[in-house]
Amino acid sequence: MKQINLEIKALSALAIGRYKPGGSVTEAESYIPGSVIRGAIAAVILKWANTSISDGDNFHELFLGENPAIFQNAYPANIKIQSEVRVLPATALSSKNKPGFKSEPNDLVHNGVFDTLIDRFCAEGYGHLYDPNCPTDGGRVDACTGFYQIQSKYYSNSTTTRLLTRVGINRRRATSEERVLYSLEVLNESQDHKEKPIIYTGKIFVPNDLAESLQVFIDNHQEDLRLGGATSRGLGRVKIEAKPPVEIKPSVTNKIKQFNDKLHQRWHEWKNIFGNPVEDLAKNRIYFTLDLQADAILTENWRCTTVISKEMLQELTDVTDSSLELHAAYSSYDYRSGWNSAWGLMKDVELVTNKGSVYLFSTSNEDLWIKTWENLEVKGLGARTSEGFGQVQICNEFHSVFREEAV
């Protein structure tokens, strides 16, 4: 498969909502889901093709075939920073009083962000509780969530929203309905003049024989696409720039090595302070993490779950490894639904494992997993991966940011 990088600029407000039953206000997502991008591109292709879907055509191969294109979520990115947007892991913490990344080494507004995965693992190995405080002021810390980019230092990215209030329409009389008001929370338009101009960046993984034609189609119709709801009222106008397809370059081996070097280094630092551990690190074992970069729909034995067990991981990847062990899981859940334009119906409500969730595994058979790790970063895991669910990163580099090195 090849990779097409997308840059999405919002020309008008985007009504990309999270529908909550029983309320009159629709909350907006903080990003553009892959399912929204996928549906918008599919709608334009069908509009211009004006043909029926057959098993042999490109449309079927792109969206309905055995190896469909994978539309990843588009996350807010600072256009001035040339690096990939990542999701902060669930193990990241920051000060409750002054949360956020430091803009400079002696920042007086932010006390920095650090990760706790490796230190928690070491603390359990040495029989101690791990309850960190802020490295700057000694105060309490709390979970830190969101998106970040790296360019000599860490930058956090976020979007801004506003509420649009609308009047309900009586469909029989085509006039405003008395006492019927509702509000849409929308993502604001991209502003070029701001200090941190935000666009949305995402990826599409496409079979090699269709990559170039899909990129050319998007490029030729980059202003025809509409994302989200209320498009008939002027919302959802975007400009999508699709970069030329490139070969996927796996970097899993280097990330695995760096993660294990840091873990062993930290383990020995704990040993110098606390003496011998309850149980020493097993020799010839490779540790790795699965970091969810998008919400995932996970099931085990036909039941929804938020924990990826060792049996479940082997089943999802078709790898048999008796040495595989799960050491830690940090996850939470939420619910997702949506609207299927092709059917004109609501999608089923799904229980999802939230993006940022982290799972720490180890194995004695590294050779069994190298190719699988590379495939996971492309294809993801769980259900509906072609819509952006289940994006995975192996060994997020942020796990190497320790408390005394808060950034």
Side-chain angles (χ1 to χ4, degrees), residues 342-380:
W343 296 343
L345 297 171
M346 288 287 292
K347 292 181 180 179
D348 292 338
V349 177
E350 301 275 9
L351 184 143
V352 299
T353 304
N354 286 330
K355 57 184 177 296
S357 297
V358 180
Y359 306 90
L360 175 63
F361 290 89
S362 71
T363 178
S364 297
N365 300 311
E366 181 182 5
D367 293 341
L368 280 176
W369 290 94
I370 291 178
K371 189 63 178 177
T372 300
W373 289 330
E374 295 175 356
N375 289 336
L376 280 174
E377 287 204 330
V378 175
K379 298 184 177 180

Short mmCIF file of all heavy atoms in Angstrom, two decimals, residues 342-380:
data_model
loop_
_atom_site.label_atom_id
_atom_site.label_comp_id
_atom_site.label_asym_id
_atom_site.label_seq_id
_atom_site.Cartn_x
_atom_site.Cartn_y
_atom_site.Cartn_z
N ALA A 342 -25.43 7.03 2.81
CA ALA A 342 -25.86 6.10 1.77
C ALA A 342 -27.18 5.43 2.15
O ALA A 342 -28.05 5.23 1.31
CB ALA A 342 -24.78 5.05 1.52
N TRP A 343 -27.33 5.10 3.43
CA TRP A 343 -28.55 4.43 3.89
C TRP A 343 -29.60 5.43 4.36
O TRP A 343 -30.78 5.08 4.48
CB TRP A 343 -28.24 3.48 5.04
CG TRP A 343 -27.34 2.34 4.67
CD1 TRP A 343 -27.06 1.90 3.41
CD2 TRP A 343 -26.61 1.50 5.56
NE1 TRP A 343 -26.19 0.84 3.46
CE2 TRP A 343 -25.90 0.57 4.78
CE3 TRP A 343 -26.47 1.44 6.94
CZ2 TRP A 343 -25.07 -0.41 5.32
CZ3 TRP A 343 -25.66 0.47 7.49
CH2 TRP A 343 -24.97 -0.44 6.68
N GLY A 344 -29.19 6.65 4.72
CA GLY A 344 -30.12 7.61 5.29
C GLY A 344 -30.56 7.20 6.69
O GLY A 344 -31.68 7.49 7.11
N LEU A 345 -29.65 6.56 7.43
CA LEU A 345 -29.97 6.06 8.77
C LEU A 345 -28.84 6.37 9.73
O LEU A 345 -27.69 6.58 9.33
CB LEU A 345 -30.19 4.54 8.74
CG LEU A 345 -31.36 4.01 7.91
CD1 LEU A 345 -31.27 2.49 7.81
CD2 LEU A 345 -32.68 4.42 8.56
N MET A 346 -29.17 6.37 11.04
CA MET A 346 -28.15 6.49 12.07
C MET A 346 -27.32 5.21 12.11
O MET A 346 -27.84 4.11 11.92
CB MET A 346 -28.80 6.71 13.43
CG MET A 346 -29.41 8.08 13.63
SD MET A 346 -28.16 9.36 13.84
CE MET A 346 -27.47 8.90 15.43
N LYS A 347 -26.04 5.36 12.35
CA LYS A 347 -25.19 4.20 12.57
C LYS A 347 -25.43 3.66 13.98
O LYS A 347 -25.92 4.37 14.87
CB LYS A 347 -23.71 4.58 12.43
CG LYS A 347 -23.30 4.95 11.00
CD LYS A 347 -21.82 5.29 10.95
CE LYS A 347 -21.39 5.66 9.53
NZ LYS A 347 -19.96 6.02 9.46
N ASP A 348 -25.10 2.40 14.19
CA ASP A 348 -25.23 1.81 15.52
C ASP A 348 -24.33 2.55 16.51
O ASP A 348 -23.26 3.03 16.17
CB ASP A 348 -24.82 0.33 15.50
CG ASP A 348 -25.80 -0.52 14.72
OD1 ASP A 348 -26.95 -0.09 14.57
OD2 ASP A 348 -25.39 -1.62 14.25
N VAL A 349 -24.79 2.63 17.76
CA VAL A 349 -23.97 3.21 18.82
C VAL A 349 -22.91 2.18 19.22
O VAL A 349 -23.24 1.05 19.57
CB VAL A 349 -24.82 3.61 20.03
CG1 VAL A 349 -23.94 4.14 21.15
CG2 VAL A 349 -25.86 4.65 19.64
N GLU A 350 -21.66 2.56 19.14
CA GLU A 350 -20.55 1.66 19.43
C GLU A 350 -19.86 2.08 20.72
O GLU A 350 -19.65 3.26 20.98
CB GLU A 350 -19.52 1.68 18.30
CG GLU A 350 -20.05 1.30 16.93
CD GLU A 350 -20.05 -0.20 16.70
OE1 GLU A 350 -19.80 -0.95 17.67
OE2 GLU A 350 -20.29 -0.62 15.56
N LEU A 351 -19.50 1.09 21.55
CA LEU A 351 -18.63 1.36 22.68
C LEU A 351 -17.20 1.36 22.16
O LEU A 351 -16.76 0.39 21.54
CB LEU A 351 -18.80 0.31 23.77
CG LEU A 351 -18.00 0.56 25.06
CD1 LEU A 351 -18.79 0.14 26.28
CD2 LEU A 351 -16.67 -0.18 25.05
N VAL A 352 -16.47 2.44 22.38
CA VAL A 352 -15.11 2.56 21.84
C VAL A 352 -14.11 2.72 22.97
O VAL A 352 -14.42 3.27 24.04
CB VAL A 352 -14.99 3.76 20.87
CG1 VAL A 352 -15.92 3.59 19.68
CG2 VAL A 352 -15.25 5.09 21.57
N THR A 353 -12.91 2.23 22.73
CA THR A 353 -11.78 2.49 23.61
C THR A 353 -11.14 3.79 23.17
O THR A 353 -10.80 3.96 22.00
CB THR A 353 -10.76 1.34 23.52
OG1 THR A 353 -11.42 0.10 23.82
CG2 THR A 353 -9.61 1.56 24.49
N ASN A 354 -10.99 4.72 24.09
CA ASN A 354 -10.57 6.07 23.74
C ASN A 354 -9.15 6.13 23.19
O ASN A 354 -8.27 5.35 23.61
CB ASN A 354 -10.67 7.00 24.95
CG ASN A 354 -12.09 7.35 25.30
OD1 ASN A 354 -12.95 7.40 24.42
ND2 ASN A 354 -12.36 7.59 26.57
N LYS A 355 -8.92 7.05 22.25
CA LYS A 355 -7.59 7.28 21.73
C LYS A 355 -6.67 7.71 22.88
O LYS A 355 -7.11 8.37 23.83
CB LYS A 355 -7.61 8.33 20.64
CG LYS A 355 -8.18 9.67 21.02
CD LYS A 355 -8.23 10.60 19.82
CE LYS A 355 -8.87 11.94 20.19
NZ LYS A 355 -10.28 11.79 20.61
N GLY A 356 -5.41 7.36 22.79
CA GLY A 356 -4.46 7.62 23.86
C GLY A 356 -4.25 6.43 24.78
O GLY A 356 -3.30 6.42 25.56
N SER A 357 -5.13 5.42 24.69
CA SER A 357 -4.97 4.24 25.54
C SER A 357 -3.65 3.54 25.24
O SER A 357 -3.18 3.53 24.10
CB SER A 357 -6.14 3.28 25.32
OG SER A 357 -7.36 3.88 25.70
N VAL A 358 -3.05 2.95 26.29
CA VAL A 358 -1.71 2.36 26.18
C VAL A 358 -1.74 0.94 26.73
O VAL A 358 -2.33 0.68 27.79
CB VAL A 358 -0.67 3.20 26.96
CG1 VAL A 358 0.72 2.58 26.84
CG2 VAL A 358 -0.66 4.64 26.47
N TYR A 359 -1.06 0.04 26.02
CA TYR A 359 -0.92 -1.35 26.45
C TYR A 359 0.55 -1.74 26.36
O TYR A 359 1.18 -1.55 25.33
CB TYR A 359 -1.77 -2.28 25.57
CG TYR A 359 -3.22 -1.86 25.49
CD1 TYR A 359 -3.65 -0.99 24.49
CD2 TYR A 359 -4.14 -2.29 26.43
CE1 TYR A 359 -4.96 -0.57 24.43
CE2 TYR A 359 -5.47 -1.88 26.37
CZ TYR A 359 -5.87 -1.02 25.37
OH TYR A 359 -7.18 -0.61 25.31
N LEU A 360 1.10 -2.27 27.47
CA LEU A 360 2.50 -2.67 27.53
C LEU A 360 2.59 -4.20 27.48
O LEU A 360 2.04 -4.88 28.35
CB LEU A 360 3.16 -2.15 28.80
CG LEU A 360 4.61 -2.59 29.05
CD1 LEU A 360 5.53 -2.07 27.95
CD2 LEU A 360 5.09 -2.11 30.42
N PHE A 361 3.27 -4.71 26.47
CA PHE A 361 3.47 -6.15 26.28
C PHE A 361 4.96 -6.47 26.28
O PHE A 361 5.81 -5.58 26.15
CB PHE A 361 2.89 -6.61 24.93
CG PHE A 361 1.38 -6.60 24.84
CD1 PHE A 361 0.70 -5.47 24.42
CD2 PHE A 361 0.65 -7.73 25.18
CE1 PHE A 361 -0.68 -5.45 24.32
CE2 PHE A 361 -0.74 -7.73 25.09
CZ PHE A 361 -1.40 -6.59 24.66
N SER A 362 5.25 -7.76 26.40
CA SER A 362 6.62 -8.23 26.18
C SER A 362 6.57 -9.61 25.52
O SER A 362 5.57 -10.33 25.62
CB SER A 362 7.40 -8.31 27.49
OG SER A 362 6.94 -9.39 28.30
N THR A 363 7.64 -9.95 24.82
CA THR A 363 7.73 -11.23 24.13
C THR A 363 9.18 -11.68 24.06
O THR A 363 10.11 -10.86 24.13
CB THR A 363 7.16 -11.12 22.69
OG1 THR A 363 7.31 -12.37 22.03
CG2 THR A 363 7.90 -10.05 21.90
N SER A 364 9.36 -12.98 23.94
CA SER A 364 10.70 -13.54 23.73
C SER A 364 10.97 -13.82 22.26
O SER A 364 12.09 -14.22 21.91
CB SER A 364 10.86 -14.84 24.53
OG SER A 364 10.74 -14.60 25.91
N ASN A 365 9.96 -13.65 21.43
CA ASN A 365 10.10 -13.98 20.01
C ASN A 365 9.93 -12.72 19.16
O ASN A 365 8.91 -12.52 18.51
CB ASN A 365 9.05 -15.04 19.61
CG ASN A 365 9.21 -16.32 20.40
OD1 ASN A 365 10.30 -16.86 20.52
ND2 ASN A 365 8.10 -16.81 20.96
N GLU A 366 10.94 -11.88 19.17
CA GLU A 366 10.85 -10.62 18.43
C GLU A 366 10.65 -10.84 16.94
O GLU A 366 9.89 -10.11 16.29
CB GLU A 366 12.13 -9.81 18.66
CG GLU A 366 12.13 -8.47 17.94
CD GLU A 366 13.40 -7.69 18.14
OE1 GLU A 366 14.34 -8.24 18.77
OE2 GLU A 366 13.49 -6.54 17.68
N ASP A 367 11.30 -11.85 16.39
CA ASP A 367 11.22 -12.09 14.95
C ASP A 367 9.80 -12.37 14.49
O ASP A 367 9.44 -12.09 13.34
CB ASP A 367 12.14 -13.26 14.55
CG ASP A 367 13.61 -12.92 14.74
OD1 ASP A 367 13.92 -11.72 14.82
OD2 ASP A 367 14.43 -13.85 14.85
N LEU A 368 8.97 -12.95 15.38
CA LEU A 368 7.58 -13.25 15.02
C LEU A 368 6.76 -11.97 14.81
O LEU A 368 5.77 -11.98 14.08
CB LEU A 368 6.91 -14.08 16.12
CG LEU A 368 7.19 -15.59 16.17
CD1 LEU A 368 6.50 -16.19 17.38
CD2 LEU A 368 6.73 -16.27 14.89
N TRP A 369 7.19 -10.87 15.45
CA TRP A 369 6.34 -9.69 15.53
C TRP A 369 6.77 -8.52 14.66
O TRP A 369 5.99 -7.58 14.48
CB TRP A 369 6.27 -9.22 17.00
CG TRP A 369 5.51 -10.15 17.86
CD1 TRP A 369 6.00 -11.17 18.62
CD2 TRP A 369 4.09 -10.16 18.04
NE1 TRP A 369 4.98 -11.82 19.27
CE2 TRP A 369 3.79 -11.22 18.94
CE3 TRP A 369 3.04 -9.38 17.54
CZ2 TRP A 369 2.49 -11.50 19.34
CZ3 TRP A 369 1.75 -9.66 17.94
CH2 TRP A 369 1.48 -10.72 18.82
N ILE A 370 7.99 -8.54 14.14
CA ILE A 370 8.49 -7.36 13.43
C ILE A 370 7.56 -6.96 12.29
O ILE A 370 7.14 -5.80 12.16
CB ILE A 370 9.92 -7.62 12.90
CG1 ILE A 370 10.89 -7.70 14.07
CG2 ILE A 370 10.34 -6.51 11.94
CD1 ILE A 370 12.32 -8.00 13.69
N LYS A 371 7.21 -7.90 11.44
CA LYS A 371 6.32 -7.60 10.31
C LYS A 371 4.92 -7.23 10.79
O LYS A 371 4.26 -6.34 10.23
CB LYS A 371 6.26 -8.80 9.36
CG LYS A 371 5.54 -8.51 8.05
CD LYS A 371 6.28 -7.47 7.24
CE LYS A 371 5.59 -7.20 5.90
NZ LYS A 371 6.25 -6.12 5.15
N THR A 372 4.49 -7.89 11.86
CA THR A 372 3.16 -7.61 12.41
C THR A 372 3.09 -6.20 12.97
O THR A 372 2.08 -5.50 12.79
CB THR A 372 2.82 -8.63 13.50
OG1 THR A 372 2.82 -9.94 12.95
CG2 THR A 372 1.45 -8.34 14.11
N TRP A 373 4.13 -5.76 13.66
CA TRP A 373 4.15 -4.38 14.18
C TRP A 373 4.03 -3.38 13.05
O TRP A 373 3.32 -2.38 13.16
CB TRP A 373 5.45 -4.15 14.96
CG TRP A 373 5.52 -4.88 16.26
CD1 TRP A 373 4.48 -5.22 17.08
CD2 TRP A 373 6.70 -5.37 16.91
NE1 TRP A 373 4.93 -5.89 18.19
CE2 TRP A 373 6.29 -6.00 18.11
CE3 TRP A 373 8.06 -5.35 16.60
CZ2 TRP A 373 7.20 -6.58 18.99
CZ3 TRP A 373 8.97 -5.93 17.47
CH2 TRP A 373 8.54 -6.53 18.66
N GLU A 374 4.74 -3.63 11.97
CA GLU A 374 4.68 -2.71 10.82
C GLU A 374 3.27 -2.68 10.23
O GLU A 374 2.76 -1.61 9.86
CB GLU A 374 5.69 -3.15 9.76
CG GLU A 374 7.15 -3.02 10.21
CD GLU A 374 8.13 -3.57 9.21
OE1 GLU A 374 7.66 -4.12 8.17
OE2 GLU A 374 9.35 -3.46 9.42
N ASN A 375 2.64 -3.86 10.13
CA ASN A 375 1.27 -3.91 9.59
C ASN A 375 0.27 -3.21 10.50
O ASN A 375 -0.68 -2.57 10.03
CB ASN A 375 0.85 -5.37 9.37
CG ASN A 375 1.59 -6.02 8.22
OD1 ASN A 375 2.07 -5.33 7.31
ND2 ASN A 375 1.70 -7.33 8.24
N LEU A 376 0.47 -3.33 11.83
CA LEU A 376 -0.46 -2.70 12.77
C LEU A 376 -0.45 -1.18 12.62
O LEU A 376 -1.50 -0.54 12.72
CB LEU A 376 -0.09 -3.07 14.21
CG LEU A 376 -0.55 -4.45 14.70
CD1 LEU A 376 0.02 -4.73 16.09
CD2 LEU A 376 -2.06 -4.55 14.73
N GLU A 377 0.72 -0.60 12.37
CA GLU A 377 0.79 0.85 12.23
C GLU A 377 0.09 1.34 10.97
O GLU A 377 -0.29 2.50 10.88
CB GLU A 377 2.25 1.31 12.23
CG GLU A 377 2.91 1.23 13.60
CD GLU A 377 4.09 2.16 13.75
OE1 GLU A 377 4.77 2.44 12.73
OE2 GLU A 377 4.35 2.61 14.88
N VAL A 378 -0.07 0.45 9.99
CA VAL A 378 -0.77 0.83 8.76
C VAL A 378 -2.25 0.47 8.84
O VAL A 378 -3.13 1.31 8.61
CB VAL A 378 -0.13 0.14 7.54
CG1 VAL A 378 -0.94 0.42 6.28
CG2 VAL A 378 1.31 0.60 7.35
N LYS A 379 -2.55 -0.77 9.20
CA LYS A 379 -3.92 -1.26 9.13
C LYS A 379 -4.71 -1.10 10.41
O LYS A 379 -5.93 -1.20 10.40
CB LYS A 379 -3.90 -2.74 8.71
CG LYS A 379 -3.30 -2.95 7.31
CD LYS A 379 -3.39 -4.40 6.88
CE LYS A 379 -2.85 -4.58 5.46
NZ LYS A 379 -2.92 -5.99 5.02
N GLY A 380 -4.03 -0.88 11.54
CA GLY A 380 -4.74 -0.72 12.79
C GLY A 380 -5.28 -2.04 13.32
O GLY A 380 -4.97 -3.11 12.80
#
